[in-house]
């Protein structure tokens, strides 16, 4: 039995386990208040469970972009697209900090990043990431980021890779984006409280 047999059917083969196991997609997506006709991007989609949930249950008349740096994730999303004849799904392999090809300026109504943002801090490319998010989001669109609270707790990334909502407010303000929403009671129940926060930004 080769290594591949050990992998989850549709998982982040390169990258540990999927947040599907501990975060509730519906809880996250409900926060976005979708009308059902948005152009939405799941940026850093991983195994695609949020993108698929949005396509199947929430965004029937819109378009969903699934973007991930790992080719395995995008291959899996392409298989899903073919097997289910999904026309309103666009899968792109890209590093957000290097720019996402074939996505026009101001073309995305909702950009969602779940457990992705701390990776930009780890790679020291926060400004590049926010530049690209600011480029693609529409003038009245929103960028929604859900990530781990900046706590020193065992679950999740190392403490120094985490950002607080205040950190993000400053960073995004420097790129002409203002905070419009913050929910600090979301995610997994851990002994310290809720594991995550969800913060949204729009253009000034």
């Amino acid at each position: 039995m080769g290594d591949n047999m050990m992998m989850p059917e549709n998982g982040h083969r390169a990258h540990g386990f999927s947040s599907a196991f501990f975060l509730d997609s519906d809880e996250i997506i409900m926060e976005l208040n979708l009308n059902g006709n948005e152009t939405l991007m799941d940026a850093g989609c991983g195994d695609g469970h949020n993108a698929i949930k949005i396509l199947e249950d929430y965004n029937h008349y819109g378009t969903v972009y699934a973007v991930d740096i790992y080719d395995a994730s995008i291959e899996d999303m392409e298989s899903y697209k073919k097997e289910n004849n999904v026309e309103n799904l666009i899968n792109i392999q890209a590093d957000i900090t290097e720019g996402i090809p074939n996505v026009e300026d101001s073309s995305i109504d909702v950009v969602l990043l779940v457990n992705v943002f701390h990776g930009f801090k780890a790679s020291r490319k926060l400004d590049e990431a926010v530049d690209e998010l600011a480029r693609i989001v529409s003038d009245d669109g929103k960028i929604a980021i859900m990530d781990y609270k900046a706590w020193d707790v065992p679950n999740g990334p190392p403490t120094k890779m985490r950002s607080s909502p205040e950190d993000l407010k400053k960073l995004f303000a420097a790129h002409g984006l203002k905070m419009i929403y913050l929910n600090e009671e979301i995610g997994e129940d851990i002994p310290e409280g809720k594991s995550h926060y969800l913060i949204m930004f729009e253009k000034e």
Side-chain angles (χ1 to χ4, degrees):
M1 185 161 125
D3 282 350
N4 273 351
M5 304 299 286
M6 303 295 290
M7 294 299 170
E9 189 78 25
N10 179 12
H12 232 138
R13 281 173 271 193
H15 222 67
F17 59 78
S18 161
S19 60
F21 297 123
F22 62 93
L23 295 180
D24 177 351
S25 288
D26 287 302
E27 181 185 31
I28 299 165
I29 298 162
M30 295 294 274
E31 293 276 286
L32 303 176
N33 291 324
L34 299 177
N35 297 319
N37 60 357
E38 283 86 359
T39 301
L40 183 145
M41 180 182 290
D42 186 357
C45 64
D47 70 356
H49 64 274
N50 287 320
I52 290 167
K53 186 87 175 162
I54 289 165
L55 281 164
E56 292 183 350
D57 294 347
Y58 292 92
N59 203 18
H60 296 134
Y61 305 103
T63 300
V64 173
Y65 283 81
V67 175
D68 203 273
I69 195 168
Y70 293 109
D71 56 352
S73 298
I74 297 306
E75 282 165 24
D76 290 346
M77 291 302 286
E78 280 295 306
S79 302
Y80 166 83
K81 180 176 178 170
K82 286 195 188 77
E83 285 160 18
N84 297 280
N85 293 320
V86 181
E87 291 183 4
N88 58 336
L89 171 62
I90 299 167
N91 301 310
I92 301 175
Q93 184 186 349
D95 178 343
I96 294 161
T97 65
E98 306 269 328
I100 305 168
N102 307 316
V103 177
E104 291 182 15
D105 294 359
S106 306
S107 64
I108 310 289
D109 299 316
V110 181
V111 187
L112 175 64
L113 301 95
V114 178
N115 289 353
V116 170
F117 207 82
H118 61 265
F120 303 140
K121 190 169 184 182
S123 63
R124 297 191 173 86
K125 289 195 163 180
L126 286 167
D127 286 303
E128 293 89 335
V130 180
D131 263 345
E132 181 63 354
L133 299 175
R135 180 187 76 79
I136 63 176
V137 72
S138 63
D139 290 341
D140 51 2
K142 58 192 174 194
I143 299 163
I145 294 170
M146 183 163 167
D147 219 315
Y148 293 87
K149 288 179 179 160
W151 291 345
D152 186 10
V153 294
N155 312 28
T159 309
K160 65 178 187 292
M161 302 309 175
R162 301 169 180 233
S163 300
S164 70
E166 277 304 311
D167 296 336
L168 293 193
K169 269 173 78 172
K170 283 186 196 132
L171 171 66
F172 277 75
H175 294 265
L177 296 156
K178 65 177 179 199
M179 186 183 88
I180 52 168
Y181 179 80
L182 175 62
N183 178 355
E184 296 188 85
E185 293 299 317
I186 193 164
E188 196 182 6
D189 287 308
I190 60 173
E192 295 77 9
K194 288 284 190 186
S195 58
H196 284 64
Y197 62 90
L198 190 143
I199 190 167
M200 296 189 203
F201 296 92
E202 68 180 17
K203 290 184 181 171
E204 293 277 14

